[in-house]
Amino acid sequence: MFRISLTGRLTTLFAATSVAVLVGFGTFISSAIEEHFSEQDQLLLQNELQLIQKVIEEKGVDSISQTFGEALHNHPDFYVDVRDLNGKEIYSTFGAFRDAILSRIPSSKTKNGFDVKIDEHREFQAIRAELKASAGSPVIVVIAVDKAIHTHFMSMFRTTLMLYVMVAAIATVMLGWWAARQGLSPLRTMAARAQTVTSQNMNERMPVDAVPTEMTDLAVKLNAMLDRLQNDIARLTEFSADLAHELRTPISNMLTQTHVVLNQSRSTADYRDSLSSNAEELQRLGNTISDMLFLAQTENGLALPSVAKLNMARECQALLEFYEALAEEKKVVLRCEGDAVVIGDQLMFRRALNNLLSNAIRYTPSYGTISIKITSAESGTTITVQNDGEEIPAEIQPHLFDRFFRADKSRKKSESDSAGLGLSITRAIMQAHGGSVSVVSRDSKTAFSLYFPSSPGK
């Protein structure tokens, strides 16, 4: 399929518009000139008719031949025909055009003019009137003026106008193409910039200040898109490195332990211990992969599996009962206050709150307190999980919800089996509900807040 470039389209539209305007203007001028000539001839015929009427009234019909013979000799373009009421010719200069002109006389007796076209090269404008003589019966006078001069002028004018329009059209096409090409040069500049953008070179941006005002919004939006792509690629690169590290560690542990066991014969108990250790590592790998699949689904617009009205006090109390034994072991006090109803998925909500509670119990010192506060407003519901303990440094807080992030990178595996995905999953769950998660850490207290809007997706 043939495709016309934007420059070609603009040039065609500009040329067509210009030619249409020129043709319309030329047609208007041509009509105005032709109307002017017609009015001029009509006025001339009226003046001649008045002159004939004056002669007839003063000198009679017999003086017409002598009086007008000399006058019309100096005006070869004028023709006069005078007849009585019976059609008998009294005086006529029509000659060969007499029958053609007289046959086209309108039936109306008014003094309105009429046109008579003999052929393509001969055309007259005439007027008919019935005049009263000083003595005798009235006469019928027909005066005609040859329009050859005007017709020739209009023909030359139209030819000249047509040539001018053709030349103007050609000039318009050339100038329009040049103007369109110059006007679209910022687009070519942006295209050249865009061509240099690759996954290895994401720093190029569109020249916002160098483009016309109409393209500024496009350049700004393209730059915003490039910023998002750059951030996504950076996150993907970092994620790939973190994922490789998280998967490599358990696999390396299993390979090392397996090689050690296979180096020499072992007892059944040793093989059982090795297999048990490998099973733990495999379980950890399985959990990490499941968490990554869940994050991938939520970040690609996962819909809530089910939506129901959830009683927040009941859900929170159920999770506190689950952690009650562990809290007693660490001598940590658990509290829950407030109540509200939230529309969402029960399993996803419990998973998000469970991640916050497990972190709170892990970092709350003995004899500390973990409290869940439920507050409801017209816009939505906020569930805050607050625990005593060391404050989270301000420079770390923005990264807490990043995948594979650990606040204490020196922790040993024995202290935590977490892959650093808990808070990332919590954020993904809140985004699926149309809500958000935030953290505030000060005065030896850390509080994570889950915000649920009045309706999911808002």
Side-chain angles (χ1 to χ4, degrees):
M1 182 179 178
F2 180 71
R3 298 176 63 185
I4 303 177
S5 65
L6 184 56
T7 301
R9 293 180 184 182
L10 290 175
T11 301
T12 303
L13 290 174
F14 184 66
T17 303
S18 300
V19 170
V21 171
L22 287 174
V23 170
F25 186 65
T27 303
F28 171 75
I29 292 178
S30 177
S31 300
I33 293 175
E34 195 166 5
E35 182 68 21
H36 170 72
F37 284 158
S38 179
E39 291 177 356
Q40 191 178 43
D41 289 341
Q42 184 71 16
L43 180 63
L44 194 58
L45 290 173
Q46 292 284 355
N47 292 336
E48 291 298 325
L49 184 62
Q50 292 177 3
L51 179 61
I52 292 175
Q53 183 176 8
K54 183 177 180 181
V55 171
I56 292 177
E57 289 177 351
E58 293 179 356
K59 300 181 180 181
V61 176
D62 298 335
S63 63
I64 291 179
S65 176
Q66 180 180 359
T67 303
F68 286 99
E70 297 177 358
L72 293 177
H73 179 73
N74 298 324
H75 298 281
D77 296 333
F78 275 95
Y79 300 87
V80 176
D81 184 269
V82 181
R83 298 175 180 274
D84 59 20
L85 297 179
N86 297 322
K88 181 181 178 181
E89 180 179 306
I90 299 175
Y91 177 79
S92 179
T93 60
F94 282 172
F97 309 118
R98 178 175 60 84
D99 294 337
I101 296 175
L102 295 180
S103 64
R104 288 173 173 80
I105 295 177
S107 58
S108 173
K109 294 183 178 182
T110 61
K111 296 182 180 181
N112 294 330
F114 59 94
D115 292 328
V116 177
K117 188 173 183 179
I118 306 299
D119 51 40
E120 294 182 357
H121 307 286
R122 204 77 179 186
E123 188 175 355
F124 296 89
Q125 185 169 349
I127 189 172
R128 172 192 178 282
E130 184 177 320
L131 304 179
K132 293 181 179 180
S134 57
S137 301
V139 295
I140 298 174
V141 178
V142 179
I143 307 175
V145 60
D146 194 345
K147 299 172 64 176
I149 296 178
H150 295 167
T151 303
H152 177 71
F153 174 82
M154 292 304 300
S155 177
M156 292 295 296
F157 176 77
R158 291 190 180 98
T159 302
T160 303
L161 180 63
M162 187 178 300
L163 291 175
Y164 174 77
V165 170
M166 293 175 60
V167 173
I170 296 173
T172 300
V173 169
M174 297 176 64
L175 293 176
W177 177 86
W178 178 83
R181 185 169 178 80
Q182 291 297 114
L184 294 176
S185 59
L187 278 180
R188 292 192 295 275
T189 302
M190 294 171 66
R193 287 283 186 91
Q195 194 172 8
T196 62
V197 177
T198 63
S199 58
Q200 290 78 30
N201 179 26
M202 294 291 295
N203 295 322
E204 288 292 338
R205 294 295 182 270
M206 299 298 109
V208 177
D209 297 332
V211 299
T213 306
E214 294 80 2
M215 298 182 186
T216 300
D217 188 54
L218 174 62
V220 170
K221 285 183 170 54
L222 285 175
N223 287 339
M225 180 190 70
L226 290 174
D227 289 338
R228 292 193 299 270
L229 288 175
Q230 187 174 21
N231 292 333
D232 289 343
I233 290 176
R235 288 174 55 199
L236 182 60
T237 303
E238 182 181 355
F239 164 72
S240 300
D242 291 339
L243 181 60
H245 175 74
E246 291 294 330
L247 296 180
R248 181 180 60 187
T249 300
I251 292 175
S252 177
N253 292 340
M254 287 188 294
L255 285 174
T256 301
Q257 190 167 359
T258 302
H259 287 157
V260 170
V261 171
L262 293 176
N263 280 337
Q264 56 183 338
S265 298
R266 305 282 181 177
S267 63
T268 302
D270 290 336
Y271 286 122
R272 187 182 301 276
D273 290 341
S274 177
L275 291 175
S276 297
S277 178
N278 286 348
E280 291 179 1
E281 295 294 346
L282 289 172
Q283 181 64 41
R284 182 185 175 206
L285 279 175
N287 292 337
T288 300
I289 293 172
S290 297
D291 290 342
M292 290 309 306
L293 288 174
F294 179 81
L295 285 173
Q297 289 176 333
T298 53
E299 289 183 357
N300 284 279
L302 173 69
L304 298 178
S306 63
V307 177
K309 291 183 178 180
L310 307 177
N311 185 286
M312 291 292 97
R314 186 183 306 133
E315 297 295 332
C316 293
Q317 193 61 44
L319 285 173
L320 290 181
E321 290 176 0
F322 176 79
Y323 284 102
E324 187 174 357
L326 182 59
E328 289 180 358
E329 182 181 345
K330 290 192 65 174
K331 298 180 176 56
V332 172
V333 178
L334 302 178
R335 287 203 301 255
C336 178
E337 59 182 69
D339 193 9
V341 174
V342 167
I343 299 176
D345 180 77
Q346 183 181 41
L347 294 179
M348 293 178 72
F349 168 73
R350 286 191 175 184
R351 186 170 186 179
L353 188 58
N354 179 71
N355 290 336
L356 298 184
L357 284 174
S358 63
N359 282 340
I361 290 179
R362 183 180 301 127
Y363 295 110
T364 301
S366 299
Y367 304 101
T369 301
I370 298 175
S371 62
I372 301 177
K373 186 176 182 180
I374 305 170
T375 56
S376 181
E378 184 178 352
S379 58
T381 300
T382 302
I383 302 167
T384 303
V385 178
Q386 180 177 283
N387 65 281
D388 299 332
E390 294 183 7
E391 299 175 13
I392 301 175
E395 63 273 12
I396 292 179
Q397 294 182 23
H399 304 286
L400 288 176
F401 302 98
D402 293 345
R403 288 171 293 197
F404 300 114
F405 179 79
R406 290 190 179 93
D408 184 5
K409 297 184 181 294
S410 64
R411 282 186 320 209
K412 297 181 180 179
K413 179 189 164 189
S414 58
E415 296 174 355
S416 175
D417 289 335
S418 171
L421 295 174
L423 292 179
S424 297
I425 291 175
T426 300
R427 180 177 62 180
I429 291 173
M430 296 310 300
Q431 290 174 346
H433 283 80
S436 60
V437 59
S438 58
V439 60
V440 176
S441 185
R442 60 172 178 263
D443 300 330
S444 299
K445 293 183 183 295
T446 299
F448 285 86
S449 297
L450 305 179
Y451 172 73
F452 291 86
S454 299
S455 298
K458 285 189 176 181

